[in-house]
Amino acid sequence: MSELANKSEHNYASAEILFKNNFHAPTVHCAYYSCLQKMCDILIEFYGYTADSLYNESSRNKIGSHDFIINKTFQNLAGRSTNYSENQQFKRNIEDFKRKRVDADYKDCIIDQTKSSVSIQLAKKINSKLAQVFIEVKK
């Protein structure tokens, strides 16, 4: 298992621990990053990127690194999975999740138990879809 895959699993486990201890904003943060790290791992393991090339290409294209990683993952997902509806739902989910993480990290708003619980469920759904389409197909 790659170190990014490890970090992804650790962030998901951390989100669950934080949730159980009522630390709701960091729950959202860790749950989101578990997905982002899984997407990075997929792009590196399956599509020949390096961490540096992901960052450099996003800078060259004047797009934020998270948006770049999300868009590249979605393009590759759409190339592997023919279920248009599920693919579009994946894209909506991860983009919504990114906004929730920005709220949790930077905005002066309350992140309650409901919002953090939804984030854990969303991370589980996104990470499962990524594993199903990319990792399980490779086996």
Side-chain angles (χ1 to χ4, degrees):
M1 176 180 291
S2 75
E3 191 54 34
L4 274 172
N6 242 354
K7 288 178 181 181
S8 173
E9 288 185 7
H10 291 167
N11 263 317
Y12 185 82
S14 296
E16 289 182 320
I17 292 166
L18 289 162
F19 178 78
K20 288 175 185 168
N21 287 285
N22 295 312
F23 294 112
H24 298 299
T27 296
V28 176
H29 175 95
C30 287
Y32 169 80
Y33 273 98
S34 77
C35 298
L36 190 72
Q37 289 161 331
K38 187 177 270 304
M39 288 186 283
C40 285
D41 181 56
I42 287 165
L43 292 173
I44 290 167
E45 294 294 317
F46 295 96
Y47 295 98
Y49 285 94
T50 65
D52 288 339
S53 69
L54 285 171
Y55 177 77
N56 291 337
E57 195 168 329
S58 70
S59 294
R60 193 169 44 255
N61 290 313
K62 296 183 177 24
I63 184 172
S65 60
H66 291 213
D67 288 329
F68 181 78
I69 290 162
I70 289 167
N71 290 337
K72 279 293 178 190
T73 303
F74 175 72
Q75 288 170 1
N76 290 311
L77 177 102
R80 283 180 172 244
S81 172
T82 58
N83 190 324
Y84 179 81
S85 176
E86 280 186 14
N87 294 344
Q88 292 303 313
Q89 186 62 49
F90 171 86
K91 179 81 164 169
R92 282 189 297 276
N93 284 344
I94 193 64
E95 288 177 347
D96 182 47
F97 205 179
K98 182 179 172 229
R99 286 187 292 277
K100 290 178 189 313
R101 197 275 309 176
V102 169
D103 289 348
D105 284 354
Y106 303 114
K107 293 194 177 171
D108 189 20
C109 63
I110 295 172
I111 305 299
D112 60 14
Q113 182 177 7
T114 301
K115 290 178 182 176
S116 64
S117 175
V118 166
S119 293
I120 289 175
Q121 293 167 21
L122 201 49
K124 185 174 185 174
K125 185 175 187 175
I126 290 167
N127 286 338
S128 293
K129 178 68 173 175
L130 291 169
Q132 173 197 0
V133 171
F134 293 100
I135 298 159
E136 293 170 9
V137 170
K138 185 177 180 185
K139 291 180 181 177

